[in-house]
Amino acid sequence: MKIFRRVGGREPRQVAQEFAEAVQPGDAERAGRLAQELTEVLPDSFGAWFEAGMYSKARRQEWADSAARNRRAAELISDEERREFGGANPAAWNLGIAATALGDWATARWAWAEYGIDTIEPGVEPIDQHFGLTPIRLNPDRPSLTHQVVPAYGDTEVVWCWRRSPAHAVISNVPLPESGHRFRDVVLHDGEPKGHRNDVPVFDELVRLEESGLPTWQAQVVGADADDKEALADLAGPAGLGVDEWSGIRLMCSECSHGSPEAHQHAPVAADAAVLGLAGSEADLQSCLDTWLAERPHVTLSELTFLW
């Protein structure tokens, strides 16, 4: 049986209604107070703790509160409530995200197992498994949660990443400097798809967990075909360097970015030479480029520019 308490003479239904209404911009502080009150008047309600946990998740820096609230919700969920979510425990997913943000790997491992991911074993070590390549939207231009504080390190950009757990990934592209991100930055991402790239779901960045500090460069090369560029990437990868084709970047509006780019074409950027984005130390990059060029007399490196 669910237990409820009156707080200051207020009924749970009244608090829940006010919390549901606190969705207007500028009402984040009031919504936060109501989220806390909701858990006080409904201390054994999965829904109350889940909604409070979602609020904390949206605020981005309130990860400890989000973890505590979602842990409580994950423990309270009933069989009937699980069936409403297709047999899953959504609070466990949000707990996994919050625990990853906090670096609490024991809790994150418990959360993913509770959600139903059986490839992650108990332990305290950081999760670093191969969950495939996935596109992630850096600096999302639209909030997906009420009162969400979206990261704003720079311009919005969708990049491919090596997914290392259900909630965090390492950037595998060389992002444009305007994004405020670098090759091999580690980002925390949400679990709800927001658009697709090549039928692969795009996830929104929630926060940057680690900065790689790897410098970003721009190179212009003349005479390099697709095989030449692939050979450069093959040399750079084992050396921990980044190589990306920037001359083929497709500019997309916000509508296109949140949907399917195949349905909304944008003109490619014209260039006389192939433009490559590179990432790594100057010495390591120069060594890699020297090796690459030595075997390709038909290719000319016309410019190598440090960007940031």
Side-chain angles (χ1 to χ4, degrees):
M1 180 179 68
K2 299 292 184 185
I3 298 174
F4 68 88
R5 302 170 184 158
R6 288 190 179 186
V7 177
R10 285 159 57 81
E11 295 282 354
R13 182 177 299 178
Q14 179 185 1
V15 178
Q17 182 177 346
E18 290 184 15
F19 177 73
E21 292 171 351
V23 296
Q24 299 302 318
D27 266 0
E29 185 176 343
R30 175 169 175 259
R33 293 196 302 270
L34 289 166
Q36 176 61 33
E37 188 177 359
L38 196 61
T39 64
E40 293 170 356
V41 297
L42 291 168
D44 295 314
S45 165
F46 160 78
W49 287 98
F50 179 70
E51 290 298 331
M54 286 286 284
Y55 171 83
S56 297
K57 171 187 170 184
R59 300 311 291 168
R60 193 159 70 98
Q61 298 301 329
E62 298 181 14
W63 295 116
D65 285 344
S66 182
R69 288 168 169 178
N70 279 297
R71 181 67 182 247
R72 180 66 175 148
E75 294 169 345
L76 286 171
I77 192 170
S78 67
D79 292 340
E80 181 180 352
E81 287 163 332
R82 281 182 185 270
R83 285 193 292 271
E84 291 177 6
F85 291 97
N89 186 340
W93 186 277
N94 287 335
L95 174 58
I97 289 175
T100 301
L102 295 168
D104 182 355
W105 297 107
T107 299
R109 288 173 179 273
W110 180 90
W112 300 130
E114 168 65 17
Y115 188 80
I117 301 174
D118 57 10
T119 58
I120 298 178
E121 298 179 350
V124 297
E125 303 82 9
I127 302 171
D128 188 22
Q129 297 179 201
H130 181 60
F131 281 80
L133 277 169
T134 193
I136 293 177
R137 181 177 292 104
L138 307 177
N139 309 306
D141 55 336
R142 299 181 188 178
S144 57
L145 299 171
T146 303
H147 301 305
Q148 184 173 13
V149 178
V150 295
Y153 305 107
D155 293 348
T156 303
E157 182 178 352
V158 175
V159 296
W160 286 86
C161 302
W162 296 293
R163 203 174 181 193
R164 309 313 298 167
S165 83
H168 82 288
V170 180
I171 297 177
S172 63
N173 281 145
V174 180
L176 297 172
E178 290 79 7
S179 74
H181 289 72
R182 302 177 190 269
F183 175 66
R184 289 190 176 274
D185 278 359
V186 181
V187 296
L188 184 75
H189 64 82
D190 211 346
E192 182 181 0
K194 297 294 180 180
H196 290 77
R197 297 293 182 275
N198 300 324
D199 295 326
V200 181
V202 180
F203 299 111
D204 280 356
E205 176 189 26
L206 292 172
V207 70
R208 178 168 51 199
L209 298 176
E210 297 178 20
E211 295 186 55
S212 72
L214 290 171
T216 303
W217 306 76
Q218 178 177 290
Q220 293 189 32
V221 295
V222 178
D225 60 20
D227 289 340
D228 294 323
K229 295 176 208 174
E230 184 176 352
L232 177 58
D234 290 342
L235 281 173
L241 306 173
V243 176
D244 225 346
E245 174 64 83
W246 280 0
S247 53
I249 290 176
R250 298 167 62 188
L251 302 179
M252 292 190 292
C253 63
S254 177
E255 289 298 324
C256 183
S257 179
H258 284 82
S260 173
E262 288 74 21
H264 191 109
Q265 297 292 332
H266 290 263
V269 177
D272 296 330
V275 180
L276 304 179
L278 305 177
S281 72
E282 183 174 13
D284 290 342
L285 275 176
Q286 193 61 63
S287 176
C288 180
L289 289 168
D290 288 344
T291 300
W292 179 64
L293 292 168
E295 300 175 354
R296 292 167 178 79
H298 59 284
V299 177
T300 301
L301 175 64
S302 60
E303 182 179 314
L304 178 62
T305 304
F306 171 73
L307 299 180
W308 80 303

